[in-house]
Each structure stands twice: as C-alpha cells, then as structure tokens.
C-alpha cells in the first residue's frame, strides 16, 4: 500500500464520550533519491516539521576510494542508511519522507525503502546530471511515479525543464521542476507536484486495469 490511514477520536467540550468526532488521516510514503551530494538530506531537513532522523557518517579515506566526490569536495558526511522526515501538506494529509543513500554500495537498501511508496523525488544537479541516471532508471523500471527536481546550486548554469528532460531521456509527461533544496516552500512545492502527478498516474493505471 502507498499509504496508511490512522483514526483518532476527539471529544469536544460539552459533549458526551459517545459524541466524539472521528477523523481519518492519510499518510503517504515518499522517497527522495538522487546522486551523491545532490541535496537529499538538505531537502528532507528543510521541509520536515519534526526533527529529521539522519544516519550520516563522516567521509573516510577508505570511502574516497569508492565514492565519487567530484564536484562536492566540500562534503564531509554521507548518508549510510536513510533520512526520515514528515510534512503535513494540508489537514488530514501528511507525507513521510525517506531519503535514500546516494552511493552505489548502499543500493541494496532501495528495495526495502521503496516498498509501499506512492512516488519519488529524484534530485538532480546539472553539473553532474549523469549521477541521477541510476535513480531515474530504478523508478522507471519499477513503474514508481517520480518527478525530477533540479537543485539550483549557486554558480551552476541554469537549464530549462525541457532541456533537462531531454538530457535524461525521460518518459513523456514526467515532470521536471526547478527548486532550492534549502528552502522549505520550494521543497514543499516539489512534493505537492509529485503527489498530484502520482495521483494521476495511479488513477490512470486503475482505470486501465478495469477497462
């Protein structure tokens, strides 16, 4: 399942115990993926309304032999399991965010993390666009709806959504959005775009299955 429903009963002042208001909340699971150092941890931390869970470790000399730090030489830590955060989009709708590790050696975690996911955000850096190819291939192959969010780093050349879509050879209709992973409002807009797109995709597949 791509979501969980949780029910709670609130008792209003002046009413009996049997007159509680039953509310049902919808919680959707979203993955945040992309290459090494592209801003996944930053995005989850920026939008999360709770203190995000992080599994970061210091980069080591041994890690330098297997991790490509080209273009992210200033990076000193790396996610070794996942990041986790939560954001409420509107009353009754929350997103659980799972940031995936970017290095190839941690890919065995992806299958577990993707179980039950509604969709995914693939973060991209136009200076190292090829780093997000594996994530794009992963979600396309498993038919998990995703959007590509171009993290606009300071000093990086700006490309339009169509140019990025063509460079990544995305399936027609896959959204590409520009964002700033450090900015909460920008990140929230990316997530809203994903939920809307994933909803359309799941509805279309459901109609195809009964047609």
């Amino acid at each position: 399942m791509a979501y969980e429903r949780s029910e709670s009963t609130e008792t209003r002042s002046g009413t009996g115990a049997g007159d509680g208001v039953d509310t049902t909340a919808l919680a959707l699971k979203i993955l945040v993926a992309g290459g090494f150092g592209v801003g996944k941890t930053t995005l989850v931390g920026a939008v999360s309304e709770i203190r995000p869970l992080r599994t970061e470790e210091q980069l080591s000399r041994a890690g330098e032999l297997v991790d490509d730090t080209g273009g992210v030489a200033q990076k000193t830590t790396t996610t070794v399991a996942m990041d986790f955060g939560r954001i409420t989009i509107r009353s009754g709708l929350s997103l659980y965010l799972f940031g995936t590790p970017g290095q190839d050696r941690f890919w065995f975690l992806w299958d577990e993390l993707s179980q039950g996911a509604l969709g995914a955000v693939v973060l991209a850096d136009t200076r190292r666009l090829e780093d997000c190819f594996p994530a794009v291939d992963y979600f396309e192959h498993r038919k998990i709806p995703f959007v590509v969010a171009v993290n606009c780093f300071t000093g990086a050349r700006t490309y339009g959504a169509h140019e990025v879509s063509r460079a990544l050879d995305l399936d027609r209709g896959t959204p590409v959005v520009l964002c700033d992973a450090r900015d909460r409002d920008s990140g929230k807009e990316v997530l809203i775009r994903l939920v809307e797109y994933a909803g359309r995709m799941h509805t279309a597949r459901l109609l195809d299955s009964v047609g």
Side-chain angles (χ1 to χ4, degrees), residues 137-190:
D137 291 342
Y138 182 92
F139 296 123
E140 285 185 343
H141 180 70
R142 288 160 180 79
K143 299 187 183 304
I144 297 175
F146 68 94
V147 301
V148 173
V150 179
N151 193 6
C152 298
F153 287 88
T154 302
R157 180 179 173 183
T158 301
Y159 292 89
H162 179 70
E163 293 175 286
V164 174
S165 178
R166 186 171 54 187
L168 293 176
D169 193 25
L170 297 177
D171 290 341
R172 184 176 181 180
T174 301
V176 176
V177 295
L178 305 183
C179 75
D180 182 344
R182 303 165 299 178
D183 183 78
R184 187 176 193 275
D185 289 338
S186 180
K188 186 175 180 179
E189 286 300 317
V190 170

Coordinates of all heavy atoms in Angstrom, one line a residue, residues 137-190:
D137 N 16.4 5.4 -13.8 CA 16.2 4.0 -14.3 C 15.5 3.1 -13.3 O 14.7 2.3 -13.7 CB 17.6 3.4 -14.7 CG 18.2 4.0 -15.9 OD1 17.5 4.7 -16.7 OD2 19.4 3.9 -16.1
Y138 N 15.9 3.3 -12.1 CA 15.3 2.4 -11.0 C 13.8 2.6 -10.9 O 13.0 1.7 -10.9 CB 15.9 2.8 -9.6 CG 15.4 1.9 -8.5 CD1 16.1 0.8 -8.1 CD2 14.3 2.3 -7.7 CE1 15.6 0.0 -7.1 CE2 13.9 1.6 -6.7 CZ 14.5 0.4 -6.4 OH 14.1 -0.4 -5.3
F139 N 13.3 3.9 -10.9 CA 11.9 4.1 -10.7 C 11.1 3.9 -12.0 O 10.0 3.4 -12.0 CB 11.7 5.6 -10.2 CG 12.3 5.8 -8.9 CD1 13.2 6.8 -8.7 CD2 11.9 5.0 -7.8 CE1 13.7 7.0 -7.4 CE2 12.4 5.2 -6.5 CZ 13.4 6.2 -6.3
E140 N 11.7 4.1 -13.2 CA 11.1 3.8 -14.4 C 10.9 2.3 -14.6 O 9.8 1.9 -15.0 CB 11.9 4.3 -15.6 CG 11.8 5.8 -15.8 CD 12.5 6.3 -17.1 OE1 13.4 5.6 -17.6 OE2 12.2 7.4 -17.5
H141 N 11.9 1.5 -14.2 CA 11.8 0.1 -14.3 C 10.7 -0.5 -13.4 O 10.0 -1.5 -13.8 CB 13.2 -0.5 -14.0 CG 13.2 -2.0 -14.1 ND1 13.1 -2.7 -15.3 CD2 13.3 -3.0 -13.1 CE1 13.1 -4.0 -15.1 NE2 13.2 -4.2 -13.8
R142 N 10.6 0.1 -12.2 CA 9.6 -0.4 -11.3 C 8.3 0.3 -11.3 O 7.4 0.1 -10.5 CB 10.2 -0.3 -9.9 CG 11.3 -1.3 -9.6 CD 12.2 -1.0 -8.5 NE 13.2 -2.0 -8.3 CZ 14.3 -2.1 -9.0 NH1 14.5 -1.2 -10.0 NH2 15.2 -3.0 -8.8
K143 N 8.1 1.2 -12.3 CA 6.9 1.9 -12.6 C 6.4 2.7 -11.3 O 5.2 2.7 -11.0 CB 5.8 1.0 -13.0 CG 6.1 0.3 -14.4 CD 5.0 -0.5 -14.9 CE 5.4 -1.3 -16.2 NZ 5.9 -0.4 -17.2
I144 N 7.4 3.3 -10.6 CA 7.1 4.1 -9.5 C 7.1 5.6 -10.0 O 8.1 6.1 -10.5 CB 8.1 4.0 -8.4 CG1 8.1 2.6 -7.8 CG2 7.9 5.0 -7.2 CD1 9.2 2.3 -6.8
P145 N 5.9 6.3 -9.9 CA 5.9 7.7 -10.3 C 6.9 8.5 -9.7 O 7.2 8.4 -8.5 CB 4.5 8.1 -10.0 CG 3.7 6.9 -9.8 CD 4.7 5.9 -9.3
F146 N 7.6 9.4 -10.4 CA 8.6 10.3 -9.9 C 8.6 11.6 -10.6 O 8.2 11.7 -11.8 CB 10.0 9.6 -9.9 CG 10.5 9.5 -11.3 CD1 11.4 10.4 -11.8 CD2 10.2 8.3 -12.0 CE1 11.9 10.2 -13.1 CE2 10.8 8.2 -13.3 CZ 11.6 9.1 -13.8
V147 N 9.1 12.6 -9.9 CA 9.4 13.9 -10.6 C 10.9 14.1 -10.4 O 11.5 13.7 -9.5 CB 8.6 15.1 -9.9 CG1 7.1 14.8 -10.0 CG2 9.0 15.3 -8.5
V148 N 11.5 14.8 -11.4 CA 12.9 15.3 -11.3 C 12.9 16.7 -10.8 O 12.3 17.6 -11.4 CB 13.6 15.1 -12.6 CG1 15.0 15.7 -12.6 CG2 13.7 13.7 -13.1
A149 N 13.6 16.9 -9.7 CA 13.7 18.2 -9.1 C 15.2 18.7 -9.2 O 16.1 18.1 -8.6 CB 13.3 18.2 -7.6
V150 N 15.4 19.7 -10.1 CA 16.7 20.2 -10.3 C 17.1 21.2 -9.2 O 16.5 22.2 -9.0 CB 16.8 20.9 -11.7 CG1 18.2 21.5 -11.9 CG2 16.4 20.0 -12.8
N151 N 18.1 20.8 -8.4 CA 18.5 21.6 -7.3 C 19.4 22.7 -7.8 O 20.5 22.4 -8.3 CB 19.3 20.7 -6.2 CG 19.5 21.5 -4.9 OD1 19.0 22.6 -4.7 ND2 20.2 20.8 -4.0
C152 N 19.0 23.9 -7.7 CA 19.7 25.0 -8.4 C 20.8 25.5 -7.5 O 20.6 26.4 -6.6 CB 18.7 26.2 -8.7 SG 17.4 25.7 -9.9
F153 N 22.0 25.0 -7.6 CA 23.2 25.3 -6.8 C 23.7 26.7 -7.3 O 23.6 27.0 -8.5 CB 24.3 24.3 -7.0 CG 24.0 23.0 -6.2 CD1 23.3 22.0 -6.9 CD2 24.4 22.8 -4.9 CE1 23.1 20.8 -6.2 CE2 24.2 21.7 -4.3 CZ 23.5 20.6 -4.9
T154 N 24.2 27.5 -6.3 CA 24.8 28.8 -6.6 C 26.0 28.6 -7.6 O 26.8 27.8 -7.4 CB 25.2 29.5 -5.4 OG1 24.1 29.6 -4.5 CG2 25.8 30.8 -5.7
G155 N 26.0 29.4 -8.7 CA 27.1 29.3 -9.6 C 26.9 28.3 -10.7 O 27.7 28.3 -11.7
A156 N 25.9 27.4 -10.6 CA 25.7 26.4 -11.6 C 24.9 27.0 -12.8 O 24.1 27.9 -12.6 CB 24.9 25.2 -11.1
R157 N 25.2 26.6 -14.0 CA 24.5 27.0 -15.2 C 23.0 26.6 -15.1 O 22.7 25.5 -14.7 CB 25.1 26.5 -16.4 CG 24.4 26.9 -17.7 CD 25.1 26.4 -19.0 NE 24.3 26.7 -20.2 CZ 24.6 26.3 -21.4 NH1 25.7 25.5 -21.5 NH2 23.9 26.6 -22.4
T158 N 22.1 27.5 -15.5 CA 20.7 27.3 -15.4 C 20.2 26.7 -16.7 O 20.5 27.2 -17.8 CB 19.9 28.5 -15.1 OG1 20.3 29.1 -13.8 CG2 18.4 28.3 -15.0
Y159 N 19.5 25.5 -16.6 CA 18.9 24.9 -17.7 C 17.4 24.8 -17.5 O 16.9 24.7 -16.4 CB 19.4 23.5 -17.9 CG 20.9 23.4 -18.3 CD1 21.8 23.4 -17.3 CD2 21.2 23.3 -19.6 CE1 23.2 23.3 -17.7 CE2 22.6 23.3 -20.0 CZ 23.6 23.3 -19.0 OH 24.9 23.2 -19.3
G160 N 16.6 24.9 -18.6 CA 15.2 24.8 -18.5 C 14.7 23.3 -18.3 O 15.5 22.4 -18.5
A161 N 13.5 23.2 -17.9 CA 12.9 21.9 -17.6 C 12.9 21.0 -18.8 O 13.2 19.8 -18.8 CB 11.5 22.0 -17.1
H162 N 12.6 21.6 -20.0 CA 12.6 20.8 -21.2 C 14.0 20.3 -21.6 O 14.2 19.1 -22.0 CB 12.1 21.6 -22.4 CG 12.1 20.9 -23.7 ND1 11.2 19.9 -24.0 CD2 12.8 21.0 -24.8 CE1 11.4 19.4 -25.2 NE2 12.4 20.1 -25.7
E163 N 15.0 21.1 -21.4 CA 16.4 20.7 -21.6 C 16.8 19.5 -20.7 O 17.5 18.6 -21.2 CB 17.4 21.9 -21.4 CG 17.2 23.0 -22.4 CD 18.1 24.2 -22.1 OE1 17.8 24.9 -21.2 OE2 19.1 24.4 -22.8
V164 N 16.5 19.6 -19.5 CA 16.8 18.5 -18.5 C 16.1 17.3 -18.9 O 16.7 16.2 -18.9 CB 16.5 19.0 -17.1 CG1 16.7 17.8 -16.1 CG2 17.3 20.2 -16.6
S165 N 14.8 17.4 -19.2 CA 14.0 16.2 -19.6 C 14.6 15.5 -20.8 O 14.7 14.3 -20.8 CB 12.6 16.6 -19.9 OG 11.8 15.5 -20.3
R166 N 15.0 16.3 -21.8 CA 15.6 15.7 -23.0 C 17.0 15.1 -22.7 O 17.3 14.0 -23.2 CB 15.8 16.8 -24.0 CG 16.3 16.3 -25.4 CD 16.2 17.4 -26.4 NE 16.9 18.6 -26.0 CZ 16.8 19.7 -26.7 NH1 16.1 19.8 -27.8 NH2 17.5 20.8 -26.3
A167 N 17.8 15.7 -21.8 CA 19.1 15.2 -21.5 C 19.0 13.8 -20.7 O 19.8 13.0 -20.9 CB 19.9 16.2 -20.6
L168 N 17.9 13.7 -19.9 CA 17.7 12.5 -19.1 C 16.9 11.5 -19.9 O 16.7 10.3 -19.4 CB 17.0 12.8 -17.8 CG 17.8 13.7 -16.8 CD1 17.0 14.0 -15.6 CD2 19.1 12.9 -16.4
D169 N 16.4 11.8 -21.1 CA 15.6 10.9 -21.9 C 14.4 10.4 -21.0 O 14.1 9.2 -21.0 CB 16.4 9.8 -22.4 CG 15.7 9.0 -23.5 OD1 14.8 9.6 -24.2 OD2 16.0 7.8 -23.7
L170 N 13.7 11.3 -20.4 CA 12.6 10.9 -19.5 C 11.4 10.5 -20.4 O 11.2 11.0 -21.5 CB 12.2 12.1 -18.6 CG 13.2 12.6 -17.6 CD1 12.7 13.8 -16.9 CD2 13.6 11.5 -16.7
D171 N 10.6 9.6 -19.8 CA 9.3 9.3 -20.4 C 8.4 10.6 -20.5 O 8.5 11.4 -19.7 CB 8.5 8.3 -19.6 CG 9.2 6.9 -19.6 OD1 10.0 6.7 -20.5 OD2 8.9 6.1 -18.7
R172 N 7.7 10.6 -21.6 CA 6.8 11.8 -21.8 C 5.9 12.0 -20.7 O 5.2 11.1 -20.2 CB 6.0 11.6 -23.1 CG 5.2 12.8 -23.5 CD 4.5 12.5 -24.8 NE 3.7 13.7 -25.2 CZ 3.0 13.8 -26.3 NH1 2.9 12.7 -27.2 NH2 2.3 14.9 -26.6
G173 N 5.8 13.2 -20.2 CA 4.9 13.6 -19.1 C 5.5 13.6 -17.7 O 5.0 14.1 -16.8
T174 N 6.8 13.0 -17.6 CA 7.4 13.0 -16.3 C 7.8 14.5 -16.0 O 8.6 15.1 -16.7 CB 8.7 12.2 -16.3 OG1 8.4 10.8 -16.7 CG2 9.4 12.2 -15.0
P175 N 7.3 15.0 -14.8 CA 7.6 16.4 -14.5 C 9.0 16.7 -14.2 O 9.7 15.9 -13.5 CB 6.7 16.6 -13.3 CG 5.7 15.5 -13.3 CD 6.4 14.4 -13.9
V176 N 9.5 17.8 -14.6 CA 10.8 18.4 -14.2 C 10.5 19.7 -13.6 O 9.9 20.6 -14.2 CB 11.8 18.5 -15.4 CG1 13.1 19.1 -14.9 CG2 12.0 17.1 -16.0
V177 N 11.0 19.9 -12.3 CA 10.8 21.2 -11.7 C 12.2 21.7 -11.1 O 13.1 21.0 -10.8 CB 9.8 21.1 -10.5 CG1 8.4 20.8 -11.0 CG2 10.3 20.0 -9.5
L178 N 12.3 23.1 -11.1 CA 13.5 23.7 -10.5 C 13.2 24.0 -9.1 O 12.1 24.4 -8.7 CB 13.8 25.0 -11.3 CG 14.0 24.8 -12.8 CD1 14.4 26.2 -13.4 CD2 15.0 23.8 -13.2
C179 N 14.2 23.8 -8.2 CA 14.0 24.0 -6.8 C 15.2 24.5 -6.1 O 16.3 24.4 -6.7 CB 13.4 22.8 -6.1 SG 14.6 21.5 -5.9
D180 N 15.1 24.9 -4.8 CA 16.2 25.1 -3.9 C 16.0 24.2 -2.7 O 15.1 24.4 -1.9 CB 16.2 26.6 -3.5 CG 17.4 27.0 -2.6 OD1 18.0 26.0 -2.0 OD2 17.7 28.2 -2.4
A181 N 16.8 23.2 -2.6 CA 16.6 22.2 -1.6 C 16.7 22.8 -0.2 O 16.2 22.2 0.8 CB 17.6 21.0 -1.7
R182 N 17.3 24.0 0.0 CA 17.4 24.6 1.3 C 16.2 25.3 1.7 O 16.0 25.6 2.9 CB 18.6 25.6 1.3 CG 19.9 25.0 0.9 CD 20.9 26.1 0.5 NE 20.4 26.9 -0.6 CZ 21.1 27.9 -1.1 NH1 22.3 28.3 -0.6 NH2 20.6 28.6 -2.2
D183 N 15.3 25.6 0.8 CA 14.1 26.4 1.0 C 12.9 25.5 1.3 O 12.5 24.7 0.4 CB 13.9 27.4 -0.1 CG 12.7 28.3 0.1 OD1 12.9 29.3 0.8 OD2 11.6 28.0 -0.4
R184 N 12.2 25.7 2.4 CA 11.0 24.9 2.8 C 9.9 25.0 1.7 O 9.3 24.0 1.3 CB 10.5 25.2 4.2 CG 9.5 24.3 4.7 CD 9.0 24.6 6.1 NE 8.3 23.5 6.7 CZ 6.9 23.4 6.5 NH1 6.3 24.3 5.8 NH2 6.3 22.4 7.0
D185 N 9.6 26.3 1.4 CA 8.5 26.5 0.4 C 8.8 25.8 -0.9 O 7.9 25.3 -1.6 CB 8.2 28.0 0.3 CG 7.5 28.6 1.5 OD1 7.0 27.8 2.3 OD2 7.6 29.8 1.7
S186 N 10.0 26.0 -1.4 CA 10.4 25.4 -2.6 C 10.3 23.9 -2.6 O 9.8 23.2 -3.5 CB 11.8 25.8 -3.0 OG 12.2 25.2 -4.2
G187 N 10.8 23.3 -1.5 CA 10.7 21.8 -1.4 C 9.2 21.3 -1.3 O 8.9 20.3 -1.8
K188 N 8.4 22.1 -0.6 CA 7.0 21.7 -0.4 C 6.3 21.7 -1.8 O 5.5 20.9 -2.1 CB 6.3 22.7 0.5 CG 4.9 22.3 0.8 CD 4.3 23.2 1.9 CE 2.8 22.8 2.2 NZ 2.2 23.7 3.2
E189 N 6.6 22.7 -2.6 CA 6.0 22.8 -4.0 C 6.4 21.5 -4.8 O 5.6 21.0 -5.6 CB 6.5 24.0 -4.7 CG 5.8 25.3 -4.2 CD 4.3 25.2 -4.3 OE1 3.8 24.8 -5.4 OE2 3.6 25.6 -3.4
V190 N 7.7 21.1 -4.6 CA 8.1 19.9 -5.3 C 7.3 18.7 -4.9 O 6.8 17.9 -5.7 CB 9.6 19.6 -5.1 CG1 10.0 18.2 -5.6 CG2 10.5 20.6 -5.7

